[in-house]
Amino acid sequence: FKKAFDEHESLAHKGHVNLWDVHNDASGEFYNFLVYSYATRMRYWVRQEVRRRVAKFKLREPCAVMHVRQNDIALHDNWRRFYYPVKAYIDVAEDAIKAMGIRTILLMTDSAEVIDEAKKIEEFEWRWMPKHRFRRDSTVTFEDQFPSGSPKEETLVLLTLFQLASECRLFIGGVSGFGTLAYRYMCLLHTKNVWDCPPVRVLDQHKEYRGSHEKTDPRQNRSSIHFGKRHVNKED
């Protein structure tokens, strides 16, 4: 079965996608993600609810997906990533945004502050899923893993985001497994072509951000030693 993918004529000419944890060629990625999609396939009522939410959202094309993860990334032991403002994501993707005529950006984020930042960049139409999000000054305990308090609702939101992402043709993001998963949905679902992956612009958040943040935060631009964590190597 895997051999059929390796020899598929529509996959033979597709190159390796340069995304941080995509390790296989096109045939390997396509095969692995089809197996993953089958193993995690949605139940009927979930599919119907996700389709309803996607239709109601009415995402305008051409669009880009931007995934900005903040909040807990500063605290990861030996895997620390730095906060980058929304403008830094725009800057890294400026060439593709202009070339593709993109004015609509689907923003995926776990941070209410990121939404606040995006609203101030008025040259784009920003879209995001309405949901509860933590703020940096929120008191969060181990039991508060879901901002809404509803695992069911959080799951439906994530599944809807993956489907919405497949309608866009540019991915902008940082170093994140969630972002990579969203990108794989884009490769699989957007067109009728076999494993049609869009352009990617990725920020390496392991490198310390040298710019300025509009709102200072003790977790920004500090080494992991500040949090009692092991120091990670970073490049200038």
Side-chain angles (χ1 to χ4, degrees):
F1 183 61
K2 174 63 167 61
K3 184 179 180 182
F5 283 79
D6 294 334
E7 298 176 352
H8 197 295
E9 61 181 13
S10 297
L11 295 170
H13 68 283
K14 295 181 183 292
H16 184 91
V17 176
N18 186 24
L19 197 60
W20 74 282
D21 67 348
V22 174
H23 305 296
N24 301 301
D25 57 18
S27 62
E29 284 296 319
F30 186 34
Y31 171 79
N32 289 346
F33 197 64
L34 278 182
V35 173
Y36 168 86
S37 299
Y38 178 77
T40 60
R41 62 195 183 280
M42 295 179 279
R43 298 178 68 177
Y44 177 77
W45 74 266
V46 177
R47 291 199 306 271
Q48 294 300 104
E49 178 61 18
V50 168
R51 287 173 182 169
R52 184 191 68 80
R53 295 186 183 206
V54 169
K56 183 179 179 180
F57 196 83
K58 295 180 180 179
L59 185 61
R60 185 181 302 176
E61 299 183 49
C63 57
V65 173
M66 180 183 292
H67 178 232
V68 181
R69 184 179 178 188
Q70 292 194 356
N71 289 343
D72 66 326
I73 66 171
L75 305 176
H76 286 192
D77 193 9
N78 204 32
W79 187 242
R80 177 144 194 273
R81 286 158 282 179
F82 292 87
Y83 285 7
Y84 278 69
V86 173
K87 184 180 182 303
Y89 289 82
I90 294 292
D91 291 344
V92 79
E94 184 177 13
D95 61 328
I97 289 173
K98 288 182 177 179
M100 302 174 76
I102 289 172
R103 288 292 176 267
T104 303
I105 298 180
L106 175 63
L107 182 59
M108 298 180 174
T109 184
D110 59 350
S111 170
E113 280 82 5
V114 169
I115 301 292
D116 295 340
E117 285 184 48
K119 289 178 179 178
K120 297 177 182 178
I121 305 177
E122 298 180 350
E123 61 190 284
F124 299 103
E125 177 189 6
W126 294 93
R127 302 294 309 278
W128 54 83
M129 286 292 294
K131 64 182 293 290
H132 294 281
R133 289 177 172 86
F134 289 127
R135 288 192 173 272
R136 293 173 195 159
D137 57 357
S138 302
T139 301
V140 181
T141 64
F142 178 78
E143 293 79 12
D144 297 326
Q145 299 179 36
F146 302 100
S148 67
S150 171
K152 173 184 173 181
E153 176 60 23
E154 297 282 344
T155 300
L156 287 170
V157 167
L158 294 180
L159 293 173
T160 303
L161 281 173
F162 291 144
Q163 298 298 314
L164 287 170
S166 70
E167 299 183 11
C168 298
R169 294 311 292 153
L170 172 65
F171 177 83
I172 310 166
V175 180
S176 166
F178 176 84
T180 305
L181 183 57
Y183 182 72
R184 287 185 168 118
Y185 274 100
M186 295 172 74
C187 293
L188 181 67
L189 299 177
H190 181 73
T191 70
K192 294 181 180 179
N193 296 328
V194 178
W195 199 247
D196 186 15
C197 294
V200 178
R201 297 295 183 272
V202 177
L203 277 174
D204 185 355
Q205 294 167 286
H206 296 107
K207 298 178 180 179
E208 184 174 355
Y209 178 62
R210 298 296 188 179
S212 60
H213 291 275
E214 180 179 324
K215 185 177 181 180
T216 58
D217 185 285
R219 291 170 292 188
Q220 294 164 342
N221 294 344
R222 297 287 191 90
S223 76
S224 51
I225 294 176
H226 177 76
F227 304 98
K229 304 291 183 180
R230 289 175 290 171
H231 189 64
V232 295
N233 293 327
K234 57 180 182 292
E235 300 175 18
D236 293 333

